[in-house]
């Protein structure tokens, strides 16, 4: 997958991600050449997962039917919703409200419904029971 999963002025773009695993039918990607985040758009999938170096779930991006990013579920420090704590991982969600606007992405703690729907992907994340 190149750049944003597309072509650049009609030319193929070098792949910047590689598939390293599959969890419940969702590709686990790893960035190449210093690329650390997941793609802003998908090429063909409805979701991608990124793991921490120890194999623990780090984040999952979910895309709409047009392959645009609509939701990101993450397990890392998020001080804005965790009383300023920058050390402890917290399971949370960012909703992308506008297409191609990656700055407007409000965060909230994962809801019980979101947790139940996506928990099968949270490899290595402690069970969450605080609602």
């Amino acid at each position: 997958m190149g750049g944003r999963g597309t072509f650049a002025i009609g030319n193929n773009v070098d792949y910047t991600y590689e598939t390293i695993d599959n969890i419940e039918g969702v590709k686990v990607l790893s960035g190449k050449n210093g690329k650390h985040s997941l793609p802003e758009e998908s090429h063909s999938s409805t979701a991608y997962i990124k793991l921490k170096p120890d194999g623990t779930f780090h984040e999952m991006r979910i895309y709409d039917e047009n392959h645009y990013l609509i939701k990101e579920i993450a397990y890392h420090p998020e001080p804005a919703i965790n009383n300023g704590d920058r050390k402890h991982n917290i399971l949370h969600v960012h909703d992308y409200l506008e297409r191609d606007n990656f700055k407007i992405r409000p965060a909230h703690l994962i809801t019980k419904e979101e947790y139940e729907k996506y928990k099968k992907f949270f490899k290595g994340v402690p069970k969450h029971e605080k609602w």
Side-chain angles (χ1 to χ4, degrees):
M1 173 180 304
R4 290 189 168 188
T6 60
F7 296 96
I9 313 174
N11 299 313
N12 286 322
V13 178
D14 291 338
Y15 284 92
T16 53
Y17 301 95
E18 63 182 325
T19 302
I20 59 167
D21 200 354
N22 186 298
I23 299 174
E24 298 287 331
V26 175
K27 292 179 184 178
V28 177
L29 299 184
S30 178
K32 296 171 69 175
N33 302 320
K35 186 74 172 172
H36 297 290
S37 63
L38 289 172
E40 289 87 7
E41 296 176 13
S42 76
H43 181 63
S44 59
S45 299
T46 58
Y48 294 120
I49 295 172
K50 177 182 174 184
L51 301 176
K52 295 178 187 295
D54 68 0
T56 301
F57 174 86
H58 179 73
E59 72 181 1
M60 178 179 191
R61 285 192 168 173
I62 301 158
Y63 307 88
D64 68 12
E65 64 276 356
N66 295 312
H67 308 292
Y68 288 98
L69 178 60
I70 57 172
K71 184 182 295 274
E72 176 182 284
I73 303 170
Y75 183 63
H76 57 73
E78 188 64 35
I81 58 172
N82 197 19
N83 300 316
D85 184 340
R86 296 180 180 275
K87 294 183 180 180
H88 297 96
N89 294 330
I90 185 170
L91 200 52
H92 63 281
V93 178
H94 292 276
D95 292 308
Y96 289 80
L97 305 175
E98 296 179 17
R99 181 180 285 184
D100 288 334
N101 185 340
F102 306 110
K103 293 182 183 190
I104 298 177
R105 53 186 207 106
H108 66 270
L109 294 173
I110 195 163
T111 66
K112 185 174 183 176
E113 293 76 20
E114 289 167 327
Y115 181 79
E116 290 300 323
K117 182 174 182 178
Y118 296 106
K119 69 182 178 183
K120 64 185 174 186
F121 302 110
F122 302 155
K123 181 179 175 184
V125 175
K127 189 173 182 179
H128 186 80
E129 296 177 324
K130 297 178 185 175
W131 313 112

